[in-house]
Amino acid sequence: MSDSETVSTRLRRIAELAEGAPDMAFTSLNHHLDLTWLREAYRLTRKDGAPGVDGQLAEEYAANLEENLQDLLERVKSGRYRAPPVRRVYIPKSGGKMRPLGIPTFEDKILQRAVTMILEPVYEPLFKDFSYAFRPGRSPHQALDQIWHGVMATRGGWILELDIQSYFDAIPHAKLQEILRKRVRDGVLLRLIGKWLNAGVMEDGRVHRPGSGSPQGGVISPMLSNIYLHEVLDEWFVEEVKHRLSGRGFLIRYADDAVLGFTSEKDARRVLEVLPKRFEKYGLTLHPEKTRLVAFRSPKPSGTNGNKGSRPGSFDFLGFTHYWGRSRSGGMVVKRKTAKDRLTRTKKAFAAYLRRNRHRPLAEQHRALTRKLNGHYAYFGITGNWSRLRSLQWEVTRLWHKWLSRRAQKRRLTWEWFLRILARFPLPKARIVHQPTPGYAT
């Protein structure tokens, strides 16, 4: 039996036990951490990621893989394992700000993957159906579909957009460990997680050890963030909020992005009032400007009962703007299009790439543009978003012509010549990848 088959069998046993005992605390899990488990964790770990503070690449670690994994296992079991700090890097985010990421060492990624593999079947039976991020068999498009069906089932109402300030950097370590101990009481696993939480962040040659946060970029951070918000928001909504509503309500969460829908304005405002207190109890803060309540009711047609029609609001979730529009049959439906700030940021990214690489061979530029456009279509190619997909395709075509012209110093590249280039190196056309789910009206 292969390592993958052996691990899969053991995972099923953990899952069966966890599903049959949702209130049980697991006291013995670390025996799964053996060489077979670490080899499978290594197989599942990305090999092309950026190196951590030690600078070690995946191929260097693989040169003596068995010896390295055996040494890692012995250090873990004996308690000698020391978690190195993560390397701090920054990537652009909306609004011109930068998002901090923490890059673990490659060995740390393997061990974090191994522990995550154990935690996943333990917590999956507890997680709610409306939680979609970092879970097997779930995707952001399923979350988008669920929102569409939730709103359409009620013909709209009130949408509460949640924005947690610096969520991954704000999770209090002590509170997170308290929540973990409700389900996992294995000392080896808890000490490992504690070491990762306290390992600190290296930036500009200095190590900082904050008392909160689970840095984005760490393999185990998505699991820890889901466990924390499961108690902070998901369980609270189901057990404390939903049965107190006078109307209907729903919650859809993808990592730290969440949307709550209500048919009653009174319900929506009551929840908005208590949410900051709920989050404050767990050391979290809602963004006062980005957390907002939106009237998102299906608009009445002009002339109904003498009115002049109404302009409903819109809301953003997972990179899409949701708004009311007319279907082909003339009815009002919820439609989705690429959010304006996301589209603007994508166009700027293409412009920056073409400016930096305008002197590269055409075939190389074409491969990169094709990969980037196909990646965009794979996510944003959703029914109703055709115009914004086409807008991006045209903008990339225009930008390519612009920067190829800049490299032609003696003469400007005419459109006629550029069209010949496009004939040799055609850019992928805008396309819809995600078809409507049952009940979706276009």
Side-chain angles (χ1 to χ4, degrees), residues 338-377:
T338 309
K340 187 176 180 180
D341 63 339
R342 182 67 66 91
L343 185 61
T344 299
R345 192 162 77 245
T346 301
K347 290 179 178 179
K348 287 181 178 179
F350 272 102
Y353 168 81
L354 288 167
R355 182 180 66 251
R356 292 193 307 267
N357 296 276
R358 62 185 181 274
H359 294 297
R360 298 281 187 180
L362 286 175
E364 180 181 330
Q365 293 186 48
H366 176 255
R367 284 194 298 271
L369 293 175
T370 297
R371 184 178 66 253
K372 292 174 184 291
L373 279 171
N374 282 333
H376 185 88
Y377 300 154

Side-chain angles (χ1 to χ4, degrees), residues 194-252:
K195 289 179 180 182
W196 287 321
L197 292 176
N198 296 311
V201 176
M202 180 173 284
E203 188 171 7
D204 298 327
R206 298 178 61 185
V207 177
H208 308 274
R209 289 186 170 85
S212 63
S214 179
Q216 285 181 275
V219 176
I220 201 169
S221 290
M223 172 59 71
L224 297 181
S225 70
N226 256 351
I227 292 171
Y228 201 68
L229 275 183
H230 169 73
E231 174 161 322
V232 176
L233 182 60
D234 301 356
E235 278 193 329
W236 175 73
F237 181 78
V238 171
E239 297 175 8
E240 301 293 333
V241 175
K242 201 166 184 180
H243 69 274
R244 289 188 170 97
L245 300 178
S246 60
R248 297 171 66 179
F250 66 84
L251 165 64
I252 304 295

Side-chain angles (χ1 to χ4, degrees), residues 35-319:
L35 272 179
T36 299
W37 199 273
L38 288 180
R39 279 195 294 264
E40 180 64 6
Y42 166 79
R43 186 185 71 82
L44 295 173
T45 300
R46 281 185 57 183
K47 312 301 189 294
D48 58 349
V53 294
D54 61 356
Q56 187 178 51
L57 299 174
E59 54 264 31
E60 296 170 344
Y61 194 88
N64 296 291
L65 182 61
E66 286 299 309
E67 294 88 341
N68 287 332
L69 292 180
Q70 182 65 54
D71 178 64
L72 173 61
L73 181 62
E74 290 175 357
R75 282 181 283 134
V76 169
K77 295 295 186 178
S78 67
R80 293 184 296 109
Y81 171 80
R82 296 183 64 182
V86 297
R87 183 171 65 88
R88 176 71 84 196
V89 297
Y90 293 89
I91 60 172
K93 59 180 294 188
S94 59
K97 298 181 180 180
M98 303 296 286
R99 183 189 304 277
L101 295 180
I103 309 300
T105 63
F106 183 73
E107 182 176 74
D108 230 21
K109 292 177 183 177
I110 296 172
L111 187 54
Q112 288 189 24
R113 173 65 61 195
V115 173
T116 301
M117 287 161 55
I118 295 175
L119 295 179
E120 188 173 90
V122 170
Y123 279 96
E124 267 299 308
L126 304 185
F127 289 158
K128 305 300 182 184
D129 286 341
F130 52 74
S131 169
Y132 286 90
F134 314 125
R135 296 179 60 190
R138 288 172 173 256
S139 71
H141 291 97
Q142 291 174 329
L144 291 166
D145 283 347
Q146 196 63 31
I147 281 188
W148 187 90
H149 286 289
V151 174
M152 289 298 296
T154 59
R155 300 308 300 172
W158 295 82
I159 295 293
L160 180 53
E161 294 181 76
L162 293 191
D163 188 280
I164 308 172
Q165 291 195 118
S166 303
Y167 172 62
F168 285 88
D169 291 330
I171 303 174
H173 294 168
K175 194 70 175 178
L176 172 59
Q177 289 171 312
E178 177 187 325
I179 292 173
L180 283 168
R181 283 192 291 271
K182 295 179 181 179
R183 184 66 164 167
V184 176
R185 294 180 188 165
D186 183 295
V188 173
L189 296 189
L190 290 176
R191 282 193 294 274
L192 280 174
I193 294 171
K195 289 179 180 182
W196 287 321
L197 292 176
N198 296 311
V201 176
M202 180 173 284
E203 188 171 7
D204 298 327
R206 298 178 61 185
V207 177
H208 308 274
R209 289 186 170 85
S212 63
S214 179
Q216 285 181 275
V219 176
I220 201 169
S221 290
M223 172 59 71
L224 297 181
S225 70
N226 256 351
I227 292 171
Y228 201 68
L229 275 183
H230 169 73
E231 174 161 322
V232 176
L233 182 60
D234 301 356
E235 278 193 329
W236 175 73
F237 181 78
V238 171
E239 297 175 8
E240 301 293 333
V241 175
K242 201 166 184 180
H243 69 274
R244 289 188 170 97
L245 300 178
S246 60
R248 297 171 66 179
F250 66 84
L251 165 64
I252 304 295
R253 183 173 67 80
Y254 193 90
D256 58 330
D257 290 329
V259 167
L260 294 91
F262 305 91
T263 56
S264 164
E265 179 182 2
K266 183 179 179 181
D267 287 340
R269 295 197 179 279
R270 284 173 57 200
V271 172
L272 177 59
E273 182 181 352
V274 300
L275 266 173
K277 302 173 186 176
R278 174 68 181 179
F279 276 74
E280 183 181 0
K281 178 181 176 181
Y282 288 85
L284 303 176
T285 305
L286 292 178
H287 197 293
E289 297 175 359
K290 295 182 180 179
T291 297
R292 65 190 190 109
L293 187 61
V294 180
F296 195 72
R297 292 163 293 188
S298 177
K300 296 178 181 179
S302 178
T304 303
N305 298 326
N307 72 66
K308 296 181 179 180
S310 59
R311 291 180 58 85
S314 63
F315 67 93
D316 289 352
F317 185 63
L318 298 181

